[in-house]
Structures are given as structure tokens and as C-alpha cells.
């Protein structure tokens, strides 16, 4: 177990090592870098993060396919589509996320932009909260206010029900972190990087436990809060920069 000062120095070094443009070429974050307009960036990010589980190559391939089905203009498609336009998704599938789920996501996103100021608008209402986990639950509530199949609800996590919400926390990192390293878009102004939580998955969780940052065995909401507290002690203004360190150590270095 490293002393706190040495652990911070070690993780700062690893975060710096992996937080660079080369990271983009192997990561689903590459999808948002195809776009310049704010709405296209956040919609492509939200849809990509939604399917970000399993094989990374498959995630990237299927995210690219989604963007092609949206005519590579996600915001324009979502706001101007007719119901028959959703037929083009008939054969789309990524693991358990299928065409019916994607159709609701298109309708749900349109509903958010028409009624709540879009994705950022939902989170802007929580701009004074120390963490955004309650805001993620609020997103889920609003996203499913319109008619939908119950099965689709499982594709939006809810921290209020114990989830670590790994994929949405990753999406939030992409949107709210801006450090001029070129990886995260940092396009949201109403959310502070200090509010962000690490996307907790098998890799980051295992590394965090080995480093003594996390004791809880499950990767759930309580574990995320424990990890949040540990990372905020090292950098209260930008705690999720350490996601690059934990993920890089786990995936690339098999730490």
C-alpha cells in the first residue's frame, strides 16, 4: 500500500500518461470527436455511452453504425424525424440493446430537447449538488415520461436503485471535463468537473481495490460514493481525471 502522497503522485503520472489524443483511437470517445456542434456531440456521446459495455471494438463499430443510421446528423434527425423514419433501425442490435430500444431513445431525446432544454438542461437543474447521482436518476425519470416498452428502462441506470451508473458517468466525463488534453469534449458549462464521478467498472474497481482506494466488493452506488470520496481527497476540482489512471492500469497494464 502506497502512502497517500506517493499514491497521488503515481496516479497523477498515470492519468497524464493515458489522457492524451492517442487514447481516442482505441476508445468509444472517438465518436463524439466526429462532430462540432454541441447537440451532435452530446447526443452521439449519450447514444455511444448507452451501448458501452462488452467488446470495445464492437462498441465502436455499433456506435458508428448508429451515427450512419442517423444520417451522421444526430440532432437534426432526432428533432425532425417522422415515425416512419424509425423503420431504418429494424436490424440494429448491440447485445441486449435492440431496435425497439433505439427507437425509444430517439423519441426520448426529442422529448428532452423539446421540454427540458436537452441533456445538459436536465443536469443544469442540479448544478449546485456535490455529486450528480441524483441528477442521473432525474434523467431517467424524465426520459421515460413518454410511452415506452418496460424493457428499455434497463438501458438507463438509476443510482437511486443502487447502480454505479458507469456508462452515464462516463458520458458526463466526456461532456463536462475540459483540460486541453484533447480527449474529453468539455462542452457543458452548467456542470462542474468537481461534481463528476468515476465510471466504475470491473477494471477501475479492481485497480482501485488493489491501491486501497476502495474496500467495498460490489461495483454499486455505495462503492462509487466510497471511490468518489477517495478521489476527491487527491483532487477535489477534477477527481475523475483519475479514471484515465485506473482504466489504463487495468486495461492496458493488467495491473
Amino acid at each position: 500500500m502506497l502512502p497517500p502522497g506517493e499514491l497521488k503522485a503515481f496516479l497523477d503520472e498515470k492519468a497524464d500518461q493515458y489522457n492524451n489524443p492517442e487514447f481516442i483511437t482505441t476508445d468509444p470517445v472517438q465518436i463524439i470527436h466526429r462532430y462540432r456542434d454541441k447537440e451532435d456531440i452530446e447526443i452521439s456521446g449519450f447514444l455511444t455511452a448507452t451501448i458501452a459495455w462488452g467488446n470495445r471494438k464492437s462498441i465502436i463499430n455499433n456506435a458508428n453504425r448508429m451515427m450512419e443510421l442517423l444520417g451522421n446528423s444526430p440532432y437534426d434527425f432526432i428533432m425532425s424525424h417522422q415515425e416512419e423514419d424509425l423503420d431504418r433501425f429494424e436490424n440494429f442490435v448491440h447485445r441486449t440493446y435492440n431496435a425497439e430500444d433505439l427507437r425509444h431513445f430517439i423519441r426520448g431525446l426529442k422529448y428532452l430537447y423539446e421540454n427540458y432544454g436537452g441533456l445538459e438542461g436536465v443536469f443544469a437543474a442540479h448544478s449546485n449538488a456535490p455529486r450528480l447521482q441524483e441528477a442521473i436518476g432525474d434523467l431517467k425519470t424524465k426520459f421515460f415520461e413518454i410511452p415506452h416498452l418496460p424493457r428499455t428502462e434497463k438501458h438507463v441506470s438509476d443510482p437511486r436503485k443502487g447502480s454505479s451508473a458507469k456508462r452515464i458517468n462516463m458520458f458526463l466525463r466526456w461532456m463536462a471535463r475540459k483540460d486541453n488534453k484533447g480527449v474529453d469534449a468539455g462542452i457543458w458549462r452548467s456542470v462542474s468537473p468537481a461534481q463528476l464521478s468515476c465510471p466504475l467498472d470491473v477494471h477501475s474497481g479492481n485497480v482501485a481495490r488493489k491501491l486501497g482506494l476502495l474496500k467495498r466488493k460490489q461495483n454499486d452506488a455505495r462503492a462509487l460514493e466510497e471511490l468518489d470520496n477517495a478521489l476527491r481527497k487527491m483532487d477535489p476540482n477534477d477527481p475523475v481525471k483519475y479514471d484515465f489512471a485506473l482504466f489504463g492500469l487495468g486495461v492496458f497494464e493488467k495491473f
Side-chain angles (χ1 to χ4, degrees):
M1 194 79 68
L2 291 171
E6 289 183 29
L7 178 59
K8 174 175 166 51
F10 173 65
L11 290 176
D12 282 341
E13 179 185 334
K14 288 298 176 182
D16 196 55
Q17 177 181 338
Y18 291 109
N19 183 15
N20 64 70
E22 289 182 10
F23 181 86
I24 296 171
T25 62
T26 63
D27 193 81
V29 74
Q30 65 183 260
I31 304 299
I32 69 173
H33 289 281
R34 293 172 48 166
Y35 300 103
R36 290 290 170 265
D37 292 343
K38 175 183 181 288
E39 291 82 5
D40 285 336
I41 293 169
E42 58 195 15
I43 290 168
S44 65
F46 183 68
L47 292 174
T48 298
T50 296
I51 65 165
W53 85 102
N55 178 276
R56 294 170 86 211
K57 186 176 180 181
S58 174
I59 294 165
I60 293 166
N61 286 342
N62 283 328
N64 274 315
R65 184 159 176 244
M66 274 196 292
M67 296 308 108
E68 289 165 9
L69 290 168
L70 295 170
N72 289 311
S73 298
Y75 179 67
D76 181 61
F77 183 92
I78 280 164
M79 299 310 292
S80 62
H81 78 275
Q82 303 298 313
E83 194 63 22
E84 58 267 24
D85 295 325
L86 303 183
D87 293 343
R88 68 179 67 184
F89 302 124
E90 185 59 41
N91 296 315
F92 183 84
V93 63
H94 176 82
R95 297 175 73 105
T96 63
Y97 186 86
N98 66 19
E100 278 303 320
D101 301 317
L102 181 52
R103 289 185 188 112
H104 174 76
F105 270 65
I106 301 305
R107 299 182 192 110
L109 283 165
K110 182 177 184 181
Y111 178 76
L112 291 183
Y113 282 91
E114 287 180 339
N115 294 278
Y116 293 109
L119 285 160
E120 183 177 9
V122 175
F123 288 93
H126 300 262
S127 59
N128 293 320
R131 303 166 74 239
L132 292 173
Q133 302 315 291
E134 189 69 29
I136 294 173
D138 190 30
L139 169 70
K140 180 162 189 171
T141 298
K142 289 176 166 57
F143 195 65
F144 289 108
E145 284 176 348
I146 59 174
H148 62 279
L149 293 177
R151 59 155 283 125
T152 303
E153 292 186 18
K154 68 184 177 186
H155 294 295
V156 180
S157 300
D158 191 345
R160 297 173 301 191
K161 294 185 177 179
S163 173
S164 69
K166 173 249 178 179
R167 288 169 285 167
I168 299 181
N169 281 311
M170 181 176 68
F171 163 71
L172 292 170
R173 195 202 85 202
W174 294 348
M175 296 301 108
R177 277 195 81 248
K178 189 169 183 65
D179 59 8
N180 301 314
K181 295 292 186 71
V183 181
D184 295 321
I187 56 171
W188 285 4
R189 294 291 170 265
S190 57
V191 174
S192 166
Q195 296 175 279
L196 299 176
S197 296
C198 185
L200 179 59
D201 63 8
V202 172
H203 303 292
S204 57
N206 288 345
V207 173
R209 291 181 185 93
K210 288 178 182 177
L211 292 172
L213 296 167
L214 182 58
K215 290 189 173 67
R216 186 168 174 80
K217 291 181 170 58
Q218 300 98 316
N219 290 328
D220 58 9
R222 286 172 60 190
L224 183 68
E225 185 173 7
E226 183 185 342
L227 182 59
D228 277 353
N229 292 336
L231 298 181
R232 278 158 169 72
K233 288 177 183 175
M234 291 190 289
D235 190 337
N237 296 317
D238 187 17
V240 300
K241 73 179 183 187
Y242 295 114
D243 180 37
F244 290 100
L246 298 177
F247 185 81
L249 284 165
V251 171
F252 300 120
E253 300 187 34
K254 312 300 180 191
F255 183 82

